[in-house]
Amino acid sequence: MTHTRERILDTALTLFNERGERNVTTNHIAAELGISPGNLYYHFRNKADIVFELFKRYEARVVEFLSVPTDRELTWWDKMGYFEAILQNMWEARFFHRDPGHLLDQDDALRERYGNFVRLSLDQAMEVYRGLQRSGLLEATEEEIRALLVNTWVLAASWTGFVHSLLPAGERQAALDRSLLEQGIYQLICLEAPYLRGEAREHLEEMKQRYRQAPDTLTLLFTRSSPPDTAESAAPARSGA
Amino acid sequence: MTHTRERILDTALTLFNERGERNVTTNHIAAELGISPGNLYYHFRNKADIVFELFKRYEARVVEFLSVPTDRELTWWDKMGYFEAILQNMWEARFFHRDPGHLLDQDDALRERYGNFVRLSLDQAMEVYRGLQRSGLLEATEEEIRALLVNTWVLAASWTGFVHSLLPAGERQAALDRSLLEQGIYQLICLEAPYLRGEAREHLEEMKQRYRQAPDTLTLLFTRSSPPDTAESAAPARSGA
């Protein structure tokens, strides 16, 4: 039944995101749904199969939002829409972004699909940048825009894992705080800032403000002495061996 | 014997880097060295212990190179030195950067140490940026410099994993090509480019050229149709699955 299949995927995604894929078994998923393991195995051969299907869902969403309207110019509001879509996709697939190396090493088919996805989405994102250029929202040479594209991609794909690597041991199973992902969007905006023009530049501060987190949310990232603007701090004493 | 201990670390590092940490056991390391597993266990309780010591070595190198001379101004040549040191450290600890999430999830002590290392090295890198500012090589507001710092850090720490995630299944155990890490340094230079001034700006093209790889090295990253400057390509047909 298609319905059960979808419910398995939804439940697996929730559990993977909350607990980390490594800590969730197919039995956990079946138990959460109140179905038998046999019923789950009727729909999916194993956990890797579920991960693969969830990746396909994620991929379809990214491929969909990375498009440029053909009937009008892009506005800074479209720009916000792209950022919102990136944030939403980082959030919904955070189990994947937390530790892609592990998942790709386990499944050659997923690895191949992921590589193709990266190349395709880089191509599509390039079309978005060209749209922003045509609309006068971004100005950059061919070389600059290509480097910006790759940096944006890597940063967006790596931010979740970076934030996760900073969580203290006692909290690493805790659900990731969405506000830390919002800070990742702020970082993407800062990456693009030097190249923004026109109304995108005029609204730069507004865009930043929407995603910038308060210093007390960012204590994971900076020692107490550094943020937000008292930065004379000497290197702090090292803690423990 | 200290000598054996060092040889174990050296050999483990080589094997981890070549094959991935997950694919190397303490028995592999002992066999490679021609010592008994018992001898290895005399020096290290388990593989996690070896990883932890290797991380401490790596950390010490990063903390050492991220310093600013106190007796003179920084030059663009120092800038090149920082890039070379980043590259060297990415290369030597590539097993770690390939999949940090996996290693941190296995060892709470390493996780704690890593978090402290990130915060400390961000603080130190901030001092380097301030040195570059004082020497007229970089111009940025307090907010810009902080965002640049974080973006540089995340990109440098994530590049190896990103490149690795693009390797086809058949090649994923192959040794990573160093030229792909050099391209990561090129990406870092592009990240900083808008803020460079004085002789750092004058030498920008020279810095880029040193690390920029030829398009045929980058086919992992871009579809055939995109690089280097023929970019009218429509999104290519999806492959497989």
Side-chain angles (χ1 to χ4, degrees):
Chain A
M1 282 155 57
T2 308
H3 182 61
T4 304
R5 185 183 160 84
E6 290 304 307
R7 282 176 61 222
I8 292 169
L9 289 174
D10 292 341
T11 303
L13 180 60
T14 303
L15 294 179
F16 289 167
N17 278 339
E18 283 175 1
R19 302 180 197 171
E21 176 271 345
R22 234 186 290 248
N23 304 307
V24 176
T25 65
T26 47
N27 281 352
H28 291 138
I29 300 167
E32 183 76 17
L33 273 165
I35 65 176
S36 70
N39 192 352
L40 185 145
Y41 286 120
Y42 172 78
H43 295 280
F44 297 96
R45 277 170 308 161
N46 50 40
K47 191 167 71 163
D49 227 18
I50 297 177
V51 170
F52 194 83
E53 286 304 310
L54 288 174
F55 179 75
K56 279 165 69 180
R57 271 192 186 181
Y58 163 74
E59 180 189 65
R61 278 178 199 159
V62 173
V63 168
E64 190 192 343
F65 90 74
L66 277 179
S67 62
V68 184
T70 53
D71 56 340
R72 59 175 181 82
E73 298 224 310
L74 286 169
T75 67
W76 82 277
W77 195 246
D78 290 309
K79 188 132 204 42
M80 290 296 273
Y82 290 123
F83 286 132
E84 274 299 303
I86 293 172
L87 175 63
Q88 192 59 27
N89 282 289
M90 280 166 74
W91 178 247
E92 284 177 7
R94 60 197 181 281
F95 87 92
F96 183 82
H97 288 118
R98 171 178 160 179
D99 195 4
H102 166 69
L103 296 168
L104 298 180
D105 273 357
Q106 283 184 332
D107 183 346
D108 286 351
L110 182 63
R111 172 173 286 273
E112 189 184 352
R113 190 166 183 112
Y114 182 73
N116 289 333
F117 164 70
V118 172
R119 287 178 283 271
L120 172 67
S121 57
L122 278 168
D123 278 356
Q124 283 193 230
M126 185 55 125
E127 293 307 309
V128 172
Y129 278 124
R130 289 192 195 294
L132 294 169
Q133 252 178 331
R134 278 194 304 273
S135 310
L137 299 174
L138 192 135
E139 189 184 327
T141 66
E142 181 65 26
E143 184 185 6
E144 285 168 341
I145 211 169
R146 191 168 292 279
L148 180 62
L149 168 72
V150 173
N151 281 340
T152 299
W153 210 103
V154 176
L155 193 65
S158 306
W159 184 258
T160 308
F162 171 66
V163 166
H164 212 279
S165 72
L166 296 178
L167 294 179
E171 296 168 34
R172 71 185 166 84
Q173 296 316 346
L176 189 67
D177 186 342
R178 196 173 197 266
S179 61
L180 290 171
L181 296 190
E182 291 181 12
Q183 183 72 11
I185 302 297
Y186 166 80
Q187 290 290 140
L188 291 181
I189 295 170
C190 292
L191 190 61
E192 288 188 350
Y195 306 102
L196 296 182
R197 299 291 180 270
E199 58 168 28
R201 180 148 209 106
E202 285 157 29
H203 291 278
L204 175 59
E205 186 51 35
E206 197 175 335
M207 291 195 279
K208 282 184 184 173
Q209 257 178 21
R210 177 161 179 160
Y211 297 106
R212 184 169 37 209
Q213 301 302 303
D216 61 354
T217 306
L218 302 176
T219 48
L220 275 180
L221 207 51
F222 295 110
T223 51
R224 243 169 320 131
S225 50
S226 28
D229 37 26
T230 55
E232 293 76 24
S233 65
R238 300 288 284 289
S239 93
Chain B
M1 281 155 53
T2 309
H3 183 61
T4 304
R5 184 182 159 85
E6 290 303 307
R7 282 176 61 222
I8 292 169
L9 289 174
D10 292 341
T11 303
L13 181 60
T14 304
L15 295 178
F16 290 167
N17 278 338
E18 283 174 2
R19 303 180 196 170
E21 176 270 346
R22 236 186 288 248
N23 304 306
V24 177
T25 65
T26 48
N27 282 352
H28 291 138
I29 299 167
E32 183 76 17
L33 272 164
I35 66 175
S36 69
N39 193 351
L40 185 145
Y41 286 120
Y42 172 77
H43 295 281
F44 297 97
R45 276 170 309 162
N46 50 40
K47 191 166 72 163
D49 227 18
I50 297 176
V51 169
F52 193 84
E53 285 305 310
L54 288 174
F55 179 76
K56 278 165 69 180
R57 271 193 187 181
Y58 162 75
E59 180 188 67
R61 279 180 198 156
V62 173
V63 168
E64 190 191 345
F65 90 76
L66 277 179
S67 62
V68 185
T70 51
D71 56 339
R72 60 176 181 81
E73 297 224 311
L74 286 168
T75 66
W76 80 277
W77 196 245
D78 290 309
K79 190 133 201 43
M80 289 296 273
Y82 291 122
F83 286 132
E84 275 299 303
I86 293 171
L87 176 62
Q88 192 58 28
N89 282 290
M90 279 166 74
W91 178 246
E92 284 177 6
R94 60 197 181 281
F95 87 90
F96 183 82
H97 288 118
R98 172 178 160 179
D99 195 4
H102 166 69
L103 296 168
L104 298 180
D105 273 358
Q106 284 186 333
D107 183 346
D108 286 351
L110 182 62
R111 171 173 287 272
E112 188 184 351
R113 191 167 182 110
Y114 182 73
N116 289 332
F117 163 71
V118 172
R119 287 178 283 270
L120 173 67
S121 58
L122 278 169
D123 277 356
Q124 283 193 230
M126 185 56 127
E127 293 308 309
V128 173
Y129 279 124
R130 289 193 195 293
L132 294 169
Q133 253 179 330
R134 278 193 305 271
S135 310
L137 299 173
L138 192 136
E139 190 183 325
T141 66
E142 181 65 28
E143 184 184 9
E144 284 168 342
I145 211 168
R146 190 167 293 279
L148 180 61
L149 169 72
V150 172
N151 282 340
T152 298
W153 211 102
V154 177
L155 193 65
S158 307
W159 184 259
T160 308
F162 171 65
V163 166
H164 213 279
S165 72
L166 296 178
L167 293 179
E171 296 168 33
R172 72 185 165 85
Q173 296 317 343
L176 188 68
D177 186 342
R178 196 171 197 266
S179 59
L180 290 170
L181 297 190
E182 290 180 13
Q183 184 71 12
I185 303 296
Y186 166 80
Q187 290 291 140
L188 291 181
I189 295 170
C190 292
L191 190 61
E192 288 188 350
Y195 306 102
L196 297 182
R197 299 292 181 270
E199 58 168 29
R201 180 148 210 107
E202 286 156 30
H203 291 278
L204 175 59
E205 186 50 35
E206 197 176 336
M207 291 196 279
K208 282 183 183 173
Q209 257 178 21
R210 177 162 180 161
Y211 297 106
R212 183 169 39 208
Q213 302 300 303
D216 59 355
T217 306
L218 302 176
T219 48
L220 276 179
L221 207 51
F222 296 110
T223 52
R224 243 168 320 132
S225 51
S226 28
D229 37 26
T230 55
E232 293 76 26
S233 65
R238 299 288 285 288
S239 93

